[in-house]
Amino acid sequence: DTGVSQDPRHKITKRGQNVTFRCDPISEHNRLYWYRQTLGQGPEFLTYFQNEAQLEKSRLLSDRFSAERPKGSFSTLEIQRTEQGDSAMYLCASSFAAGREGYTFGSGTRLTVV
Amino acid sequence: QQQVKQSPQSLIVQKGGISIINCAYENTAFDYFPWYQQFPGKGPALLIAIRPDVSEKKEGRFTISFNKSAKQFSLHIMDSQPGDSATYFCAAISSGNTPLVFGKGTRLSVIA
């Protein structure tokens, strides 16, 4: 287990299409986070899971976004009816409970909506 | 509402010089302050972190200075090298279940 893996690395989609991203966290970590990062900005929190339970969702997470973490392992983030404003880097991170020692981030999925 | 304010937005430093990036926060419940380094096409990577019970933490060429009363903390990179050229983010978190919050980042360029 070498870190947090995200797939795909890049995704280009047409406006209105649905997309799904996958994140595989560090296996020992029970918390998994999704962040969004736009050009020139810091990562913005979207949602997080502790094991399979989704504990918090940001107001940035509109009803077109849904995230799951079945069985407390990998997670998926789905965006329905994509809009150009959804173009961003979607970052996944994992940590031990409460994240007191920092988060480990994946390399992200770059989404471009055309 | 920006919970952690970071400056400057960009910074150019000569090789061998000192890079200084500053952050300020308002939420006194924050009790862990990490700095992340991000290279293009990569996710942020934890660089160094500090808790508010100490005023300074040093790891190699990287030092965090922390001023609890002013609610400010800064990253100092000594003997800056071209390989340090990256975007740096300060962040903060409080105990409990709130997620890590990030500053907007500082793009550092170290020129020879």
Side-chain angles (χ1 to χ4, degrees), chain A residues 9 31 35 37 48 100 103, chain B residues 31 36 38 41 97 100:
Chain A
R9 291 294 313 277
R31 286 203 176 182
Y35 281 76
Q37 185 177 24
Y48 87 93
R100 308 309 295 145
Y103 298 178
Chain B
D31 60 359
Y36 284 80
Q38 186 177 32
N97 295 322
L100 198 60

Side-chain angles (χ1 to χ4, degrees), chain B residues 86-104:
Chain B
T87 300
Y88 293 81
F89 295 97
C90 60
I93 192 171
S94 60
S95 58
N97 295 322
T98 57
L100 198 60
V101 292
F102 287 83
K104 290 191 173 184

Side-chain angles (χ1 to χ4, degrees), chain A residues 76-92:
Chain A
T76 58
L77 178 68
E78 181 183 19
I79 309 174
Q80 296 183 326
R81 304 180 304 281
T82 53
E83 302 173 355
Q84 287 189 321
D86 297 331
S87 295
M89 174 79 86
Y90 289 84
L91 293 164
C92 176

